[in-house]
């Protein structure tokens, strides 16, 4: 029996169980193992930063601005993303899941809120490192530059039209080559996550006993509950009230891709089944293709909701209570970070590490959250698949022509 050939989620479960056992045996001596998890996360973050830059830029370069179909999809995605953020903020504010996590005292060395959240600071302070307030970490700079260059390229493509076609294709080619290489590297690094989980869990149990389990349960319930509300309240509203379709029929047809996405943990791998389900629902080919294929860079509500809850969970665990404006800044960073990450292995965990580092929140807590991420990753995939299908159905309703082929 070759454990290395097991799926990552099974390796993670085994690593978690062995970590608990090691923590019980070693006790406080297991604290030194936490260093291993910290370095693994740092290596992943180092590769993920350029990957995030290329993924965001690729989303801009690849976008097709033709026709009212894209504008309709954009409206749907923006609305769904806003709902996901509101649900995440609401759950985090009402239930305060981060307060249930008992942290290792060594992680609470820094007890003050990072200066990046001081919205009263002048922009010159953010641009410099004055008072430790620099907002432009490597990750944030990558996001800002990618969005800026991508927006500029979209503007030039719109103004120059056909004259920009060759440049567009060349940039897409270079970008895709680099992205594929980084995807492979990240794919290999993700196989190190069970080691990070083992060492993190050994340290937590060895130093704190089972005190952290209550916090992890609260975190898991908050993320899962938020995604459940997104599906029940937002997606079903599109289907029943906007598209005026039968919810019973929708769930009967979408059941197969939902179950499959939970098993394979990928909305992209589920794409053929999603398209077949939409065909059975008599959704136009153009709407289905636009939402499920092109819209995959924009429609990542599962990852977005999870990230907002997770980041606020970390802030609450450290006793940092953020004002509404500060929470919205975090949400905006999460929205940008989710663009284009659909094809990245363990996209949620990768982008979460970047969001945490971009605002100065400690990465040491991330391996602890990874112990339950194998469950949340599957729920994110399910959420994204349902979101893709809902987007296609809603787009048909907005265009008022279910049989029209969208160019």
């Amino acid at each position: 029996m070759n454990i290395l050939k097991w799926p990552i989620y099974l390796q993670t479960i085994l690593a978690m169980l062995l970590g608990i056992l090691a923590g019980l045996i070693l006790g406080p001596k297991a604290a030194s193992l936490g260093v291993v998890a910290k370095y693994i996360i740092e290596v992943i973050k180092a590769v993920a930063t350029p990957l995030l830059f290329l993924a965001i830029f690729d989303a801009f370069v690849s976008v097709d601005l033709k026709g009212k179909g894209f504008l309709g999809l954009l409206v749907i995605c923006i609305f769904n993303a806003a709902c996901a953020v509101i649900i995440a903020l609401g759950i985090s504010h009402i239930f305060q899941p981060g307060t249930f996590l008992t942290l290792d005292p060594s992680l609470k060395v820094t007890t003050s809120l990072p200066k990046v959240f001081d919205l009263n600071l002048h922009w010159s302070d953010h641009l410099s490192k004055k008072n430790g307030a620099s907002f432009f970490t490597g990750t944030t700079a990558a996001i800002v530059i990618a969005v800026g260059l991508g927006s500029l390229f979209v503007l030039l493509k719109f103004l120059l039209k056909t004259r920009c076609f060759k440049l567009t294709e060349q940039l897409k080619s270079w970008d895709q080559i680099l992205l594929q290489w980084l995807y492979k590297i990240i794919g290999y690094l993700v196989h190190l996550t069970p080691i990070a989980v083992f060492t993190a869990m050994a340290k937590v149990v060895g130093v704190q006993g089972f005190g952290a389990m209550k916090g992890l349960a609260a975190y898991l319930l908050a993320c899962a509950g938020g995604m459940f509300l997104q599906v029940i309240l937002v997606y079903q509203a599109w289907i029943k009230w906007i598209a005026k379709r039968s919810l019973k029929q929708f769930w009967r047809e979408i059941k197969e891709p939902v179950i499959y996405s939970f098993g394979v943990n990928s909305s992209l791998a589920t794409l053929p089944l999603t398209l077949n389900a939409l065909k059975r629902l008599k959704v136009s080919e153009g709407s289905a293709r636009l939402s499920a294929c092109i819209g995959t860079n924009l429609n990542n509500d599962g990852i977005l909701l999870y990230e907002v809850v997770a980041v606020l969970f970390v802030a609450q665990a450290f006793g940092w209570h953020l004002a509404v404006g500060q929470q919205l800044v975090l949400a905006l960073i999460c929205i940008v970070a989710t663009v284009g990450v659909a094809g990245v292995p363990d996209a949620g965990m990768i982008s979460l590490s970047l969001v945490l580092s971009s605002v100065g929140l400690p990465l040491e807590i991330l391996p602890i959250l990874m112990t339950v991420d194998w469950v949340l990753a599957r729920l994110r995939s399910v959420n994204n698949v349902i979101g893709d299908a809902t987007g296609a159905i809603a787009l048909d309703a907005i265009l008022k022509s279910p049989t029209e082929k969208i160019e």
Side-chain angles (χ1 to χ4, degrees):
M1 182 174 61
N2 190 347
I3 295 177
L4 295 178
K5 291 184 178 180
W6 288 11
I8 289 294
Y9 77 94
L10 288 180
Q11 293 183 35
T12 301
I13 295 172
L14 178 61
M16 180 176 63
L17 296 175
L18 292 177
I20 292 173
L21 181 61
L24 291 173
I25 295 174
L26 297 176
K29 294 180 180 179
S32 58
L33 292 175
V35 177
V36 177
K38 177 181 177 181
Y39 283 121
I40 290 176
I41 295 300
E42 288 293 339
V43 171
I44 292 175
K45 188 190 76 173
V47 178
T49 298
L51 185 147
L52 182 64
F53 169 83
L54 290 171
I56 293 174
F57 183 73
D58 181 68
F60 279 95
V61 173
S62 302
V63 72
D64 186 356
L65 297 174
K66 294 188 299 181
K68 59 182 180 179
F70 174 77
L71 295 178
L73 178 64
L74 190 61
V75 169
I76 294 169
C77 290
I78 291 174
F79 178 83
N80 288 348
C83 290
V85 169
I86 291 171
I87 291 172
L89 293 177
I91 286 178
S92 299
H93 176 73
I94 294 171
F95 297 104
Q96 299 282 314
T99 59
F100 291 93
L101 182 65
T102 303
L103 284 178
D104 177 1
S106 66
L107 289 179
K108 284 198 170 185
V109 175
T110 305
T111 56
S112 60
L113 189 68
K115 296 288 186 178
V116 68
F117 288 114
D118 189 350
L119 301 181
N120 295 319
L121 286 174
H122 193 273
W123 271 107
S124 61
D125 293 333
H126 285 289
L127 290 169
S128 67
K129 290 191 176 181
K130 181 180 178 181
N131 297 324
S134 176
F135 184 78
F136 286 91
T137 61
T139 301
T140 312
I143 293 175
V144 171
I145 294 172
V147 171
L149 289 177
S151 301
L152 177 62
F153 186 83
V154 169
L155 178 61
L156 290 174
K157 186 167 68 171
F158 179 76
L159 294 175
L160 300 177
K161 296 182 180 178
T162 56
R163 285 177 287 177
C164 202
F165 179 76
K166 289 185 178 180
L167 176 60
T168 302
E169 293 303 309
Q170 191 64 56
L171 282 175
K172 285 174 64 175
S173 175
W174 294 339
D175 190 59
Q176 285 295 325
I177 291 173
L178 291 173
L179 271 176
Q180 290 305 317
W181 276 103
L182 288 175
Y183 283 163
K184 288 181 180 180
I185 295 173
I186 284 289
Y188 291 128
L189 291 178
V190 164
H191 283 80
L192 297 177
T193 55
I195 300 175
V197 168
F198 167 76
T199 55
M201 187 55 69
K203 177 184 177 181
V204 168
V205 174
V207 175
Q208 304 171 242
F210 290 96
M213 299 304 173
K214 183 179 179 181
L216 284 174
Y219 166 69
L220 180 62
L221 289 174
C223 291
M227 285 183 262
F228 176 77
L229 290 177
Q230 178 77 2
V231 171
I232 297 300
L233 298 180
V234 181
Y235 296 158
Q236 288 200 152
W238 277 112
I239 296 164
K240 183 174 179 60
W241 302 110
I242 304 300
K244 300 188 184 305
R245 286 174 173 261
S246 166
L247 288 176
K248 183 178 180 181
Q249 182 189 26
F250 171 78
W251 286 114
R252 182 172 65 246
E253 299 300 343
I254 205 68
K255 177 176 63 176
E256 183 183 15
V258 164
I259 294 173
Y260 186 79
S261 66
F262 186 86
V264 300
N265 186 26
S266 172
S267 57
L268 284 180
T270 312
L271 185 57
L273 294 178
T274 304
L275 292 174
N276 286 336
L278 290 172
K279 186 176 182 179
R280 292 193 298 271
L281 286 166
K282 297 185 178 358
V283 175
S284 69
E285 182 183 348
S287 292
R289 186 175 65 249
L290 194 58
S291 178
C293 301
I294 299 175
T296 192
N297 286 322
L298 305 173
N299 185 28
N300 291 304
D301 301 328
I303 298 176
L304 173 59
L305 194 150
Y306 146 82
E307 281 186 359
V308 175
V309 171
V311 173
L312 291 178
F313 177 86
V314 174
Q316 291 168 3
F318 280 85
W320 298 331
H321 300 289
L322 308 180
V324 174
Q326 296 167 330
Q327 293 180 32
L328 291 177
V329 169
L330 271 178
L332 180 61
I333 295 174
C334 290
I335 289 172
V336 178
T338 59
V339 175
V341 299
V344 183
D346 287 280
M349 183 197 70
I350 300 299
S351 56
L352 178 59
S353 69
L354 296 174
V355 171
L356 290 176
S357 63
S358 69
V359 294
L361 290 172
L363 287 178
E364 287 82 357
I365 197 174
L366 189 57
I368 301 174
L369 303 185
M370 286 164 54
T371 58
V372 295
D373 195 70
W374 59 276
V375 177
L376 293 178
R378 280 160 171 71
L379 295 180
R380 293 194 297 266
S381 295
V382 168
N383 189 289
N384 290 337
V385 165
I386 300 174
D388 289 341
T390 302
I393 293 172
L395 187 58
D396 260 358
I398 288 177
L399 295 176
K400 304 294 185 182
S401 180
T403 60
E404 176 185 348
K405 184 175 181 180
I406 302 170
E407 297 297 334

